[in-house]
């Protein structure tokens, strides 16, 4: 099949990008750009659901080819594209009131939709060069979104750091691709997996991939750009960055890492453990809410890497599945937390960084919102019966099942780290509900009303966090198919 | 499918009240909750057509390596019976509460809790495996806690909250037992499904089975208020009376009996556990009946009576007389919820005109002569009291008689002790009727008391009718309940109707009532109990069991906690502080790496590249 209608799944959001921008320019009085984005995403949902059901019913990936560029929609594509669409649609919905009237509103929606399209492309890329192109496209769209508040110096600074470091990573990835291409003469992932020789150059390529994508994934010590970028962007974008964009690096890494013939298990586990620990320590003393959440992402990436590492080490599908489940759960929980933090900033009518102290009395003014935030944070902390608990527990269980004393030790270490994380999540929850100064409370009660378009996306995500915590089996098909695509 | 609808109805009711509660307000929210309960009852009724067992699997709840727990419901005659009792009595109590809770500032919240309770209780009785049952088990415990402490503010707030905590904590002890039994079951049988456990029972040795059953019995003792964990139930009366009637008389407290009957196949193979069960039930029946004689609080008498009656059921279940236990469970649900609701009506009537701040509206010493002031309540109370005492042909007579008949086959001692308990039952309820309804009013409030509203009296009369004719369910010669339950429990022997036992227990009941009327009716009650003496004083003080628990468990634990909290040398607190300080210092140390300088960050990238390379060289070939 050369050019199938399935291809529209990737084409539509990108083709819509200029259209959204132009309609936004043409009509400014109401959120026409947002409306068009939502309509486009609705169409993409239809295409996605049809593709996903085809993948699941056939039990085999859908292959597509345009010239030399190959695409493959498999279980992992469905998982990542699905999560992207969920968060992306809610982010667009949420942004309506959030960025209303800002300069460049129409570019915001165009870029956001384009970013979603790039991520779907990333999920479906079947050759390593193509994968890199989609990856870069995703990152390029996100640069502009990070610096959306361009009057804000800190946002620009964050964007520059993000840009420079991502560019370095991008170069590393190209090095890796070149090394493979030089040895095998192909960039197609399937052919590479079959023909890549075991050599020093291959190993070097692997190292370049881990480091290059690792910058995007925020593997310690490559994570330094993350807290700035994730905290300075508009909150819907923070949710996208933490929830799916950095995970894009993971998806890309999982695709290419199998090409390089060696056991990546221990490497990933060690990197994961370091990430968990350093991310937690950095979050522990953080006073800005969104920076704290950003550091918490560093730690959660560690849990995912840890799960994948166990899976690769023990050749255990359960480990991969648990890592993937955590990827989904983290996307939902962190998305909810960032959106809720943004909603609080909306209530206070400020773009200034939200400090932990600013949360005081918020529970009284915005009970539903703060409850949602609390549920999302408790989920991130791994408190049962929320989603984060289930996936962390599954990671730990597969670790113990691997039957190695070293891994069991790492599991204990990771579990103890959960305690540290509770230390900063509870600090946020405590701050929302504690009322230390009554005068401050009066001030809080004057906060803006949160519109439903902002509240509903948060509530939906929180609902998902609770439902997946009680019924984790719901996603079994999705993670199993995705794990199958990796092995 | 119907099973799902049964659970869903109250769930929808509570969700609707959560969302629209503020807009609907009293009494609409109450009627909404009542309708939800009634709908669940209607769905349960449709299950009566078909006695065959059925498993409804909704999906997988938990899947962890080889442990797979389905979210599944089991429809069989046993669970249908329980569901009918829960939803039937539940609906009446919902309706009654609309009147009883009138004017309460947290009116809607009360009905949300009641609906939530129904959801949890239905999950408990309909569950197809121990894990799902445990969801319901904990859920009803939570609702019990919430409802006991429902009036957590005001003058009695602290007392009520303490009662709620006591119930919760004592129940946790029982839950530990149930959890242990689940661990043992999973360890030995690899499954928590009822059917799976029963099929594998003969693969385990007797010691395992006994341990499993005994741990389960601990759970039963917690939930069904048996020795040694019964102490929470009398205090639980701090909650609103409808909650006492629904949760602490008719339904939740019987879940222990349901559990034994459900696990009947296990107990049949664990003779030691059976003996312990019978003894626990028998002693509870006797001790609680004794304590009930010495109580003056109208609800406390009924609370101890409930403990005692639960003892009868547990003893019967321990003997393997499952049908008798279930029969008594059903009739007891009728007459005890009736008694509680009638008592609530009495309290309501007295409270309404109470201007004396020192008078406790629940104290029977301040009542008397209410028969004339509240005739409907009185009629209902008499029906309940006679049924409880076991006077033929009311419901309690037939069910208690079946238990006594089974006991006579089990052993003389058991039969004798249970007969004494039956005598005490008739005596304390007779005493209560005399103190509350007869004689001259002993307070101004009692003098002015008025009959309660229609929403309260109508459910009373319905339950009174049920208490009167409930015995029809399993009359000696038609055995309707027996043949119905046989579909689930397997063929049991038709308990023969022993004329001697029936006559004896009738005589005992009448003797108890007669003695009560002789002691309390002959001359006017002065506030000094005619039984007053050292023995009676012991009963008034509940045999000092609560005080003993305070000394043996509560205080040492509090001292330990205080010591750990205050000790500033090598105590846990010290270690804790060191860990916190260490973590904080480490965090501080890492913080300095986050300089925000781009150059430094790129150095970090180069270091990262080298680190990954080194790591891959070191461990990549493992």
């Amino acid at each position: 099949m050369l050019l199938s209608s399935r291809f529209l799944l990737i084409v539509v959001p990108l083709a819509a990008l200029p259209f959204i921008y132009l309609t936004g320019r043409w009509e400014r009085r109401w959120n026409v750009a947002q409306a068009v984005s939502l309509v486009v995403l609705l169409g993409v949902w239809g295409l996605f659901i049809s593709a996903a059901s085809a993948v699941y019913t056939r039990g085999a990936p859908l292959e597509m080819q345009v010239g030399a560029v190959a695409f493959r929609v498999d279980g992992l594509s469905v998982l990542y594209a699905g999560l992207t669409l969920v968060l992306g649609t809610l982010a667009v919905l949420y942004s309506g009131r959030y960025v209303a009237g800002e300069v460049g509103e129409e570019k915001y929606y165009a870029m956001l939709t384009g970013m979603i399209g790039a991520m779907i492309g990333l999920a479906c890329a079947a050759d390593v060069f193509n994968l890199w192109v989609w990856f870069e496209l995703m990152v390029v769209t996100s640069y502009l979104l990070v610096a959306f508040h361009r009057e804000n110096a800190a946002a620009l600074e964050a964007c520059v750091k993000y840009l420079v470091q991502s560019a370095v990573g991008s170069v590393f990835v190209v090095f890796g691709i070149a090394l493979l291409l030089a040895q095998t003469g192909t960039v197609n992932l399937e052919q590479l997996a079959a023909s890549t020789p075991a050599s020093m150059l291959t190993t070097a390529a692997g190292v370049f991939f881990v480091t290059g994508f690792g910058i995007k994934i925020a593997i310690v010590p490559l994570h330094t750009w993350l807290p700035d970028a994730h905290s300075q962007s508009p909150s819907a974008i923070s949710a996208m960055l933490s929830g799916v964009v950095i995970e894009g690096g993971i998806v890309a890494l999982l695709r290419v890492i199998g090409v390089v013939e060696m056991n990546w298990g221990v490497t990933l586990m060690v990197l994961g453990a370091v990430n968990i620990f350093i991310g937690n320590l950095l979050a522990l003393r953080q006073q800005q809410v969104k920076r704290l959440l950003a550091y918490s992402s560093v730690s959660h990436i560690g849990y995912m890497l840890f799960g994948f590492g166990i899976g690769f080490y023990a050749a255990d599908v359960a480990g991969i599945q648990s890592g993937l489940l955590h990827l989904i759960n983290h996307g939902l929980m962190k998305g909810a937390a960032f959106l809720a933090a943004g909603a609080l900033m909306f209530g206070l009518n400020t773009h200034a960084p939200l400090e932990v102290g600013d949360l005081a009395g918020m529970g009284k003014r915005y009970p539903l919102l703060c409850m949602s935030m609390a549920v999302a944070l408790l989920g991130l902390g791994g408190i049962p019966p929320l989603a984060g608990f289930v996936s962390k527990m599954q990671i730990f269980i597969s670790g113990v099942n691997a039957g190695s004393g070293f891994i069991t030790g790492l599991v204990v270490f990771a579990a103890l780290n959960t305690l540290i994380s509770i230390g900063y999540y509870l600090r946020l929850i405590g701050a929302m509900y504690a009322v230390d100064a009554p005068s401050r409370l009066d001030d809080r009660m004057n906060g803006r009303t949160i519109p439903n378009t902002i509240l509903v996306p948060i509530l939906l995500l929180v609902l998902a966090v609770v439902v997946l915590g009680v019924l984790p089996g719901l996603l079994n098909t999705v993670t199993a198919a995705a794990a199958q695509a990796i092995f | 499918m119907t099973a799902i609808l049964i659970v869903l109805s109250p769930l929808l009711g509570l969700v609707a009240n959560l969302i629209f509660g503020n807009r609907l307000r009293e009494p609409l929210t109450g009627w909404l909750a009542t309708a939800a309960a009634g709908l669940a009852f209607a769905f349960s009724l449709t299950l009566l057509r078909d006695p065959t067992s059925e498993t409804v699997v909704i999906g997988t709840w938990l899947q962890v390596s080889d442990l797979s727990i389905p979210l599944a419901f089991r429809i069989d005659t046993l669970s249908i019976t329980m569901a009918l009792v829960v939803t039937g009595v539940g609906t009446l109590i919902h309706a009654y509460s609309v009147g009883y809770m009138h004017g309460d500032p947290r009116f809607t919240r009360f009905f949300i809790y009641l609906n939530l309770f129904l959801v949890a209780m239905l999950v408990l009785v309909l569950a197809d495996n121990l894990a799902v049952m445990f969801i319901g088990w904990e859920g009803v415990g939570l609702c019990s806690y919430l409802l006991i402490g429902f009036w957590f503010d005001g003058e009695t707030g602290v007392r009520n909250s303490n009662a709620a905590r006591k119930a919760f904590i004592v129940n946790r002890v029982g839950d530990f037992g149930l959890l242990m039994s689940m661990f043992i079951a999973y360890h030995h049988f690899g499954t928590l499904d009822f059917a799976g456990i029963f099929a594998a029972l003969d693969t385990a040795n007797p010691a395992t089975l006994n341990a499993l059953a005994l741990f389960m019995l601990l759970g039963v003792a917690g939930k069904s208020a048996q020795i040694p964990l019964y102490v929470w139930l009398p205090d639980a009366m701090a909650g609103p009376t409808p909650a006492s009637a629904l949760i602490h008389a008719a339904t939740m407290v019987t879940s222990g009996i349901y559990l034994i009957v459900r696990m009947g196949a296990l107990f049949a193979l664990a003779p030691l556990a059976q003996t312990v069960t019978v003894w626990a039930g028998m002693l509870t029946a006797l001790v609680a009946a004794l304590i009930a004689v010495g109580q003056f609080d109208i609800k406390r008498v009924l609370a101890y009576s409930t403990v005692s009656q639960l003892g009868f059921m547990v003893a019967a279940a321990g003997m393997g007389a499952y049908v008798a236990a279930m029969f008594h469970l059903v009739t007891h649900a009728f007459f005890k919820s009736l008694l509680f609701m009638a008592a609530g009506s009495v309290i309501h009537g007295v409270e309404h005109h109470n201007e004396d701040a020192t008078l406790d509206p629940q104290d029977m010493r301040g009542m008397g002569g209410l028969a004339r002031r509240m005739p409907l309540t009185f009629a209902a109370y008499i029906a309940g009291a006679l049924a409880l005492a076991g006077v033929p042909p009311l419901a309690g007579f037939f069910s208690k008689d079946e238990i006594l008949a089974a006991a006579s086959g089990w052993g003389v001692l058991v039969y004798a002790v249970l007969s004494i308990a039956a005598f005490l039952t008739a005596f304390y309820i007779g005493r209560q009727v005399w103190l509350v309804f007869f004689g001259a009013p002993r307070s101004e409030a009692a003098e002015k008391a008025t009959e309660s509203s229609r929403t309260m009296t109508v459910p009373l009369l319905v339950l009174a009718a049920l208490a009167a004719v409930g015995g029809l369910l399993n009359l000696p010669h038609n055995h309707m309940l027996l043949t119905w339950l046989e579909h689930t429990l397997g063929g049991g022997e038709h308990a023969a109707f022993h004329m001697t036992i029936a006559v004896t227990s009738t005589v005992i009941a009448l003797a108890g009532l007669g003695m009560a009327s002789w002691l309390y009716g002959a001359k006017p009650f002065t506030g000094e109990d005619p039984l007053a003496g050292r023995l009676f004083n012991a009963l008034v003080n509940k045999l000092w069991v609560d005080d003993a628990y305070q000394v043996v468990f509560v205080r040492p634990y509090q001292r330990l906690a205080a010591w750990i909290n205050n000790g500033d040398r090598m105590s846990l607190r010290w270690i804790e502080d060191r860990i916190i300080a260490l973590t904080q210092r480490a965090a501080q140390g890492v913080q300095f790496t986050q300089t925000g300088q781009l150059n430094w960050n790129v150095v970090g990238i180069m270091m990262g590249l080298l680190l990954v390379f080194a790591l891959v060289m070191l461990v990549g070939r493992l």
Side-chain angles (χ1 to χ4, degrees):
Chain A
M1 218 188 308
L2 273 175
L3 192 64
S4 77
S5 58
R6 299 267 180 234
F7 203 63
L8 285 173
L9 177 62
I10 302 161
V11 172
V12 166
L14 291 173
L17 191 151
F19 184 65
I20 294 169
Y21 172 65
L22 289 174
T23 45
R25 284 298 289 264
W26 164 66
E27 172 61 73
R28 284 173 185 279
R29 262 167 303 170
W30 50 290
N31 274 342
V32 68
Q34 189 205 15
V36 176
S37 294
L38 279 177
V39 171
V40 169
L41 287 180
L42 207 66
V44 177
W45 266 109
L47 295 163
F48 168 74
I49 288 167
S50 127
S53 59
V55 171
Y56 289 144
T57 45
R58 282 165 39 145
L62 301 168
E63 307 275 356
M64 297 184 279
Q65 188 124 19
V66 190
V69 182
F71 289 94
R72 183 187 300 119
V73 185
D74 58 15
L76 183 60
S77 324
V78 172
L79 184 151
Y80 184 62
L83 183 63
T84 303
L85 274 174
V86 169
L87 271 184
T89 313
L90 294 178
V92 171
L93 188 63
Y94 173 95
S95 301
R97 285 293 300 281
Y98 196 79
V99 300
E102 304 251 3
V103 179
E105 200 184 340
E106 67 284 348
K107 296 181 198 112
Y108 176 92
Y109 290 110
M111 283 302 146
L112 186 49
T113 314
M115 186 163 86
I116 294 168
M119 283 191 272
I120 297 176
L122 167 69
C124 305
D127 69 59
V128 62
F129 186 74
N130 189 11
L131 184 75
W132 175 78
V133 172
W134 288 111
F135 189 77
E136 282 305 301
L137 185 59
M138 168 180 90
V139 180
V140 168
T141 46
S142 66
Y143 294 145
L144 300 170
L145 290 167
V146 167
F148 180 69
H149 296 303
R150 58 182 180 178
E151 70 288 350
N152 180 351
L156 291 178
E157 184 197 338
C159 182
V160 169
K161 282 187 208 165
Y162 179 41
L163 176 76
V164 172
Q165 300 193 40
S166 289
V168 175
S170 170
V171 171
F172 283 178
V173 174
V174 178
F175 284 166
I177 297 173
L179 288 176
L180 289 186
L181 183 64
Q183 293 185 84
T184 60
T186 177
V187 287
N188 186 293
L189 279 169
E190 252 180 359
Q191 290 166 16
L192 276 175
S195 61
T196 307
S199 70
M200 198 58 209
L201 286 180
T202 314
T203 309
V207 172
F208 277 125
F209 285 141
V210 173
T211 320
F213 288 124
I215 290 175
K216 193 77 230 176
I217 305 173
I219 293 177
V220 174
L222 314 168
H223 66 283
T224 43
W225 60 274
L226 181 138
D228 283 329
H230 285 210
S231 60
Q232 294 300 337
S233 32
S235 292
I237 303 307
S238 310
M240 291 295 284
L241 291 179
S242 263
V244 279
V245 174
I246 50 175
E247 282 77 1
I250 289 193
V251 171
L253 187 61
L254 288 174
R255 291 269 192 223
V256 297
I257 206 169
V259 169
V260 179
E261 196 58 49
M262 64 167 41
N263 195 337
W264 288 102
V266 182
T267 309
L268 290 184
M269 278 188 279
V270 171
L271 291 175
V274 173
N275 254 52
I276 295 172
F277 186 53
I278 302 291
N280 272 339
L281 287 185
L282 284 170
L284 193 61
R285 294 170 62 84
Q286 187 48 246
Q287 287 305 320
Q288 287 180 19
V289 176
K290 283 177 74 177
R291 282 183 93 87
L292 189 154
L293 291 175
Y295 282 125
S296 130
S297 295
V298 174
S299 150
H300 278 272
I301 285 288
Y303 285 104
M304 293 173 217
L305 292 177
F306 190 45
F308 295 130
I310 293 163
F312 285 127
Y313 176 84
D316 176 15
V317 180
I320 303 283
Q321 257 183 285
S322 61
L324 289 168
L325 184 62
H326 198 62
L327 191 151
I328 299 175
N329 289 345
H330 173 257
L332 301 172
M333 298 182 296
K334 192 53 69 63
F338 266 123
L339 293 186
L344 292 174
M345 289 163 71
F346 179 88
L348 296 177
N349 200 4
T350 172
H351 287 314
L354 186 68
E355 300 264 331
V356 175
D358 295 338
L359 294 175
M362 285 298 210
K364 205 86 181 163
R365 174 67 182 91
Y366 304 113
L368 192 57
L369 179 61
C370 287
M371 186 199 74
S372 312
M373 176 110 169
V375 172
L377 291 173
L378 291 174
L380 286 167
I383 305 287
L386 302 168
F389 165 74
V390 178
S391 44
K392 266 187 202 172
M393 189 183 75
Q394 291 189 1
I395 292 172
F396 295 162
I397 288 175
S398 17
V400 174
N401 279 350
S404 134
F406 170 67
I407 299 180
T408 311
L410 282 184
V411 167
V412 173
F413 177 73
L416 283 176
N417 259 285
T418 304
L419 283 180
I420 304 183
S421 75
I422 296 292
Y424 53 85
Y425 294 128
L426 285 189
R427 199 152 55 90
L428 293 185
I429 296 175
M432 288 191 295
Y433 290 104
V435 182
D436 44 358
S439 60
R440 190 132 191 192
L441 186 63
D442 294 339
D443 178 44
R444 285 285 167 272
M445 297 314 269
N446 295 329
R448 275 202 280 183
T449 315
I450 309 283
N452 281 336
T453 50
I454 287 185
L455 201 53
V456 167
I458 301 171
L459 290 179
L460 286 176
L461 287 172
V462 167
L463 182 72
V465 170
V466 176
V467 169
L468 287 180
V470 181
L471 299 167
L474 286 179
L475 287 177
N476 233 347
T477 334
V478 180
T479 52
Q484 198 195 358
I486 294 167
F487 262 142
Chain B
M1 196 56 220
T2 323
I4 303 172
L5 291 175
I6 295 175
V7 180
L8 226 49
S9 314
L11 189 63
L12 282 180
L14 92 91
V15 170
N17 265 339
L18 271 176
I19 298 175
F20 304 114
N22 278 338
R23 245 163 286 172
L24 291 177
R25 291 172 196 285
E26 188 189 339
L28 270 178
T29 46
W31 290 120
L32 182 69
T34 312
L39 195 63
F41 181 58
F43 283 129
S44 311
L45 276 179
T46 64
L47 292 174
L48 275 175
R49 278 176 312 193
D50 182 10
T52 48
S53 302
E54 185 199 349
T55 305
V56 187
V57 182
I58 300 167
T60 307
W61 176 43
L62 259 187
Q63 172 89 53
V64 179
S65 64
D66 55 343
L67 169 66
S68 169
I69 297 173
L71 182 59
F73 289 143
R74 182 184 185 81
I75 299 291
D76 58 22
T77 51
L78 180 59
S79 59
I80 296 173
T81 310
M82 288 301 289
L84 279 170
V85 173
V86 171
T87 54
V89 176
T91 308
L92 289 173
I93 293 176
H94 274 70
Y96 169 90
S97 310
V98 176
Y100 191 87
M101 298 305 288
H102 171 71
D104 193 285
R106 287 187 286 267
F107 182 86
T108 303
R109 185 189 291 193
F110 183 78
F111 283 93
I112 291 173
Y113 287 165
L114 279 193
N115 270 179
L116 181 65
F117 169 75
L118 281 190
V119 175
M121 189 70 203
L122 287 167
V123 168
L124 194 164
V125 298
L126 291 172
D128 188 43
N129 58 56
L130 283 171
V132 173
M133 194 198 80
F134 196 68
I135 303 177
W137 188 274
E138 289 298 302
V140 292
L142 170 70
C143 295
S144 162
Y145 166 79
L146 292 172
L147 284 165
I148 297 169
F150 188 75
W151 287 316
F152 54 79
D153 46 9
E155 276 168 45
T156 54
V158 173
R159 194 198 64 179
N160 296 349
S161 307
N162 278 338
R165 288 197 305 179
K166 183 173 179 183
F168 200 79
I169 293 167
V170 173
N171 262 296
R172 294 305 299 174
V173 179
D175 294 344
F176 156 76
L178 190 57
L179 276 174
M180 284 302 290
S181 67
M182 281 164 64
F183 296 154
I184 296 175
Y186 177 64
H187 184 71
H188 281 274
F189 308 126
T191 176
L192 293 174
D193 289 0
F194 291 130
I197 293 175
F198 295 155
L201 276 180
D202 45 6
T203 60
N205 57 12
T208 310
L209 294 177
N210 272 318
L212 180 54
L214 283 172
F215 273 121
M216 213 167 256
L217 184 63
L218 186 60
V220 171
K223 204 54 98 200
S224 289
Q226 297 298 295
I227 289 175
L229 300 179
Y230 72 90
V231 287
W232 65 272
L233 186 57
D235 286 18
M237 297 306 133
T241 304
S244 311
L246 178 60
I247 299 182
H248 306 119
T251 54
M252 183 189 86
V253 288
T254 60
S255 37
I257 288 96
Y258 165 76
L259 179 63
I260 301 181
V261 176
R262 174 58 79 197
M263 303 301 290
L266 165 71
F267 278 80
L269 295 176
L272 174 66
Q274 274 193 314
T275 314
V276 176
T277 311
V278 173
W279 274 83
M282 178 184 90
L283 289 176
T284 310
L286 180 67
V287 170
L290 269 173
I291 298 178
V293 172
Q295 300 303 311
F296 287 104
D297 182 306
I298 182 170
K299 282 177 76 183
R300 257 177 198 275
V301 174
L302 294 177
Y304 278 105
S305 158
T306 304
V307 175
S308 162
Q309 295 297 307
L310 290 168
F312 274 94
M313 295 177 222
V314 167
M319 295 167 203
Y322 298 131
V323 177
M326 286 303 294
F327 187 22
H328 199 54
L329 187 156
V330 175
T331 58
H332 177 260
F334 295 155
F335 64 69
K336 189 51 68 64
S337 53
L338 167 64
L339 284 171
F340 264 114
M341 286 154 66
S345 175
V346 168
I347 297 166
H348 215 252
V350 174
E351 204 171 32
H352 213 66
H353 300 276
N354 187 7
E355 281 151 16
D356 178 4
T358 57
L359 179 77
D360 176 3
Q362 304 198 13
D363 194 330
M364 299 193 292
R365 283 170 290 203
M367 297 178 184
L370 289 175
R372 267 158 295 147
R373 307 287 316 170
M374 312 177 78
L376 286 177
T377 304
F378 172 63
Y381 213 102
I382 288 295
L386 291 181
L388 172 63
V391 174
L394 286 98
F397 165 73
F398 292 102
S399 52
K400 194 183 288 180
D401 188 59
E402 261 190 46
I403 294 179
L404 288 173
S408 72
W410 178 272
V412 181
L413 180 65
V414 179
Y415 175 70
V417 172
L418 286 181
S419 295
I420 296 171
F423 170 78
L424 289 168
T425 307
F427 178 73
Y428 66 67
I429 196 67
R431 170 178 177 266
Q432 184 170 46
V433 169
W434 278 104
L435 285 181
V436 174
F437 290 104
F438 295 131
R442 288 184 295 277
S443 71
E444 207 175 324
E447 227 165 276
K448 290 187 190 157
T450 45
E451 185 59 277
S452 302
S453 68
R454 189 92 37 95
T455 45
M456 284 164 75
T457 48
V458 169
L460 279 184
L461 294 178
V462 175
L463 274 175
L466 283 173
V469 302
L472 293 177
L473 279 177
N474 207 27
L475 278 186
H477 292 291
N478 82 12
H479 297 295
M480 202 163 71
L481 187 67
L482 174 64
T483 35
W484 169 251
L485 284 175
E486 260 179 359
H487 292 287
T488 303
L489 302 176
E493 75 285 15
H494 287 234
F497 182 69
H498 298 288
M499 192 47 95
T500 31
I501 291 176
V503 171
T504 319
S505 55
T506 310
V507 170
I508 286 173
L510 291 175
L513 289 173
M515 195 166 142
S517 71
W518 174 63
L519 275 173
Y520 294 91
K523 51 182 182 224
F525 184 77
T526 53
E528 171 89 346
D529 201 278
L531 288 175
R534 285 174 71 182
L535 178 64
F536 186 75
N537 190 34
L539 298 181
V540 171
N541 286 309
K542 303 172 278 182
L543 300 174
W544 293 287
V545 173
D546 286 86
D547 308 75
Y549 281 10
Q550 279 287 331
V551 172
V552 179
F553 297 112
V554 180
R555 297 236 181 85
Y557 183 78
Q558 284 172 338
R559 268 201 293 274
L560 180 70
W563 178 75
I564 289 174
N565 194 33
N566 296 335
D568 46 0
R569 290 176 304 278
M570 270 305 284
S571 67
L572 290 178
R573 179 72 167 273
W574 185 86
I575 301 170
E576 193 185 296
D577 286 345
R578 295 287 87 74
I579 292 175
I580 293 172
L582 202 69
T583 318
Q584 289 281 3
R585 206 167 306 156
Q588 239 170 336
V590 180
Q591 244 178 345
F592 114 95
T593 63
Q594 200 72 25
T595 56
Q597 288 174 3
L598 193 52
N599 300 348
W600 176 244
N601 293 352
V602 178
V603 171
I605 293 180
M606 288 308 157
M607 275 164 50
L609 183 68
L610 292 176
L611 188 98
V612 173
F613 194 72
L615 201 59
V616 167
M617 286 291 104
L618 272 173
V619 298
R621 302 281 166 214
L622 282 180

